[in-house]
Amino acid sequence: MPFGSTPVPKCGADGIVRIRAEIAEKTIKFVFLEYCDLHGIQRGRVITSERFLHDAKTGFMMSGISLIRLPTGGVPSMKDMPLSVKFNGLRFLPDLATFKIVPWMKSFASVIVDPRDTKGECVGYSTREVARVQVGRLKEYGVQIFSSLEYEFAVLSANTLKPIHNDTSGHLIKYFLEDWDYLEELYDGLQNVGLEVEQIESEGECAVYEFPIKPSEGLQAGDDGFWLKKTIREVSQHRGYLASFSSKPFPEFGGLSGHFKHSLKDMSGRMLFFNGSGSDKMSKTMRHWLAGLIHHAPAMVIFGCPTASCLRRLASPSRATPLYPNWGIDNRRCSFRVKNHAPENTYIENRIFGAGCNPYLALAVNIAAGLDGVINELPLPEMVEGDGHSTDNGLPGPQRFSEKLVDAVEALENDTVLCDALGEDFIRPYLNAKRHECDREMEAIRSGDSAFYDRNYLPYL
């Protein structure tokens, strides 16, 4: 079956009429045109609301180089793909369904834009497009993914880049009380951009919080991750804080997670992971899907922990950081934690993913891996019933995930299924950027540059 891209939503007249009325009612002066780079960092441009309304249908010409920028802004060279040819002169079309008023900034709105090349075709190295393609593949089978990302973030002083609290005991009510005005402002911002927050969680680290949100269908889950990070970063900035999603902001931290929770349902809404007659309540579809995730887990690491800094999460893991490609029922020490309580509450939690992950790539790679398991009916390895960090449990010992970026690059290069699914137009610049990061990290290690990780990742992710 040929798998192609689903079309980017058109800029319909009804959408423009609605937005024009909203801009007038809220006296909006400026609009952010925003998109994600490879690392999930928001980039774009600010234009006037008048120009937005005039040109929304035809789009906005911008350079595409920022789609592949490193967190610090540099662009790694590519020998066989001239940047001036491949990444410049793109037309960015707004997805009007994503237009939102930005409540924490006076007279501002924001919209997600999708790049098109000179022929009007979708750009394969846009991470939102990569996710859209994988969602489209599932739809060809009459299946929809239902997912959300649980992003943790560290609250730092913008001046010192140090946590605003230094107590590591975790879950202290006193910090909720001290920070409540700030936390409530974050909650209001998230709710106002359409995210349904389920709870506010304080983690067991210095000033680490989490705002779990309700799952969404298809590409919307990637957009939700985009808006969650944007909201938390910008509201925090107005408070004089830096909200860092770096998966390992400090060596003494256990790491910040970005667990990807997901299930499948058919187009009628029937949940596909639950089977009440089985002892583990897992359907055949769920078992094969999970087998695909486990099979491709080594290649997933570079998406779950996408930078040299993020991979430190695996070098000195906390008690709940996964180390092996394994699974268990409600087992936080495994890479894949299965919840199997009821049809609507049976899902897989991919715990490989850290807070630094790109929400669109998290969505895309989980679909690509799971779908391969279903299509080829991959067998599910035995469940881990004890310590997911131990190989002393009677099961064959899988290879531990490497904390080295060069090994993560090699694992993805060797996974032809994932590379083919995500597409050459994406894989080539992504691996090129990762190899460039490998070289920079090795140079920093050789020169004794101890500030390399903080300088290149902490303020940006």
Side-chain angles (χ1 to χ4, degrees):
M1 178 184 297
F3 295 125
S5 168
T6 54
V8 174
K10 302 292 184 182
C11 299
D14 291 344
I16 287 292
V17 169
R18 171 185 62 82
I19 290 171
R20 188 183 299 277
E22 195 169 7
I23 285 175
E25 179 186 355
K26 303 292 186 180
T27 61
I28 299 301
K29 297 179 182 178
F30 304 100
V31 179
F32 285 114
L33 307 178
E34 300 195 62
Y35 56 88
C36 268
D37 67 13
L38 294 178
H39 293 88
I41 298 171
Q42 288 88 2
R43 299 189 185 272
R45 170 182 297 179
V46 177
I47 63 172
T48 64
S49 58
E50 290 84 0
R51 186 187 171 197
F52 175 78
L53 291 171
H54 184 268
D55 294 339
K57 186 175 181 180
T58 56
F60 306 89
M61 295 300 295
M62 294 190 285
S63 168
I65 287 179
S66 288
L67 287 162
I68 62 165
R69 286 192 187 276
L70 299 173
T72 53
V75 180
S77 62
M78 298 182 68
K79 295 180 181 179
D80 56 349
M81 191 180 295
L83 296 179
S84 60
V85 175
K86 201 69 177 175
F87 298 109
N88 280 330
L90 299 181
R91 187 176 298 278
F92 285 75
L93 292 178
D95 182 346
L96 298 186
T98 69
F99 182 90
K100 298 179 188 292
I101 304 299
V102 179
W104 53 89
M105 291 188 67
K106 183 179 179 181
S107 305
F108 265 88
S110 182
V111 67
I112 297 174
V113 292
D114 290 304
R116 297 286 189 96
D117 64 18
T118 54
K119 298 179 181 179
E121 296 177 353
C122 298
V123 173
Y125 48 86
S126 159
T127 60
R128 191 170 189 248
E129 173 63 14
V130 173
R132 182 185 285 113
V133 169
Q134 297 307 310
V135 169
R137 290 182 68 201
L138 267 186
K139 285 185 176 180
E140 292 192 28
Y141 287 93
V143 176
Q144 184 71 286
I145 191 168
F146 196 55
S147 65
S148 67
L149 278 151
E150 288 189 345
Y151 279 124
E152 296 174 352
F153 61 98
V155 187
L156 314 178
S157 164
N159 293 324
T160 66
L161 298 186
K162 299 298 182 183
I164 61 172
H165 303 305
N166 57 15
D167 194 308
T168 59
S169 59
H171 307 287
L172 290 175
I173 294 298
K174 74 171 186 175
Y175 289 138
F176 278 109
L177 299 178
E178 287 181 20
D179 298 337
W180 188 250
D181 287 347
Y182 164 61
L183 296 175
E184 188 172 22
E185 189 175 356
L186 289 177
Y187 171 83
D188 289 342
L190 293 168
Q191 294 288 116
N192 286 334
V193 297
L195 302 181
E196 295 187 62
V197 176
E198 296 187 307
Q199 65 192 55
I200 303 174
E201 191 73 54
S202 170
E203 298 296 331
E205 302 283 3
C206 306
V208 173
Y209 287 104
E210 177 186 351
F211 284 73
I213 57 175
K214 289 186 177 180
S216 296
E217 295 180 2
L219 187 63
Q220 183 62 51
D223 289 344
D224 288 351
F226 173 95
W227 284 107
L228 185 142
K229 282 191 168 184
K230 171 185 169 65
T231 302
I232 291 174
R233 283 170 173 153
E234 294 181 7
V235 171
S236 299
Q237 185 175 352
H238 278 270
R239 284 267 178 171
Y241 297 149
L242 172 70
S244 177
F245 291 87
S246 179
S247 305
K248 188 77 170 180
F250 302 106
E252 63 271 20
F253 272 44
L256 304 181
S257 68
H259 299 153
F260 183 78
K261 300 164 65 173
H262 66 288
S263 60
L264 301 179
K265 57 183 180 180
D266 64 21
M267 294 307 175
S268 70
R270 181 175 65 91
M271 306 307 292
L272 300 178
F273 275 179
F274 183 77
N275 178 8
S277 62
S279 59
D280 55 17
K281 301 179 183 178
M282 296 167 58
S283 68
K284 180 180 178 181
T285 296
M286 183 179 189
R287 298 180 71 83
H288 288 314
W289 183 275
L290 179 55
L293 298 180
I294 293 171
H295 180 73
H296 295 288
M300 277 190 188
V301 169
I302 201 168
F303 300 106
C305 302
T307 69
S309 177
C310 292
L311 278 161
R312 296 185 299 170
R313 176 172 169 253
L314 302 180
S316 53
S318 70
R319 60 180 179 81
T321 301
L323 299 182
Y324 300 95
N326 53 13
W327 73 282
I329 293 177
D330 209 10
N331 192 331
R332 294 175 183 268
R333 304 266 280 186
C334 291
S335 289
F336 302 98
R337 178 189 181 196
V338 169
K339 303 283 281 189
N340 60 348
H341 300 307
E344 68 281 358
N345 197 27
T346 295
Y347 60 88
I348 298 169
E349 180 179 273
N350 187 335
R351 299 176 64 82
I352 295 172
F353 283 73
C357 73
N358 180 317
Y360 297 112
L361 296 183
L363 177 63
V365 74
N366 276 273
I367 294 175
L371 193 54
D372 180 56
V374 174
I375 292 172
N376 291 296
E377 298 187 343
L378 297 181
L380 181 64
E382 290 186 60
M383 176 180 67
V384 173
E385 297 192 45
D387 184 359
H389 282 187
S390 173
T391 56
D392 186 22
N393 49 31
L395 299 179
Q399 184 174 354
R400 176 172 169 164
F401 297 131
S402 172
E403 71 276 9
K404 296 179 180 178
L405 184 58
V406 65
D407 292 336
V409 169
E410 184 178 358
L412 178 58
E413 287 176 325
N414 292 336
D415 194 319
T416 56
V417 171
L418 283 193
C419 288
D420 289 347
L422 300 179
E424 184 181 10
D425 283 351
F426 165 74
I427 287 294
R428 288 174 68 190
Y430 189 76
L431 285 175
N432 183 70
K434 296 298 116 180
R435 294 188 194 103
H436 180 77
E437 285 185 68
C438 287
D439 293 341
R440 295 180 67 193
E441 183 187 28
M442 290 300 102
E443 182 180 343
I445 292 172
R446 285 193 298 268
S447 65
D449 183 1
S450 59
F452 169 78
Y453 301 104
D454 289 353
R455 185 177 64 253
N456 288 283
Y457 299 107
L458 186 62
Y460 305 104
L461 293 180

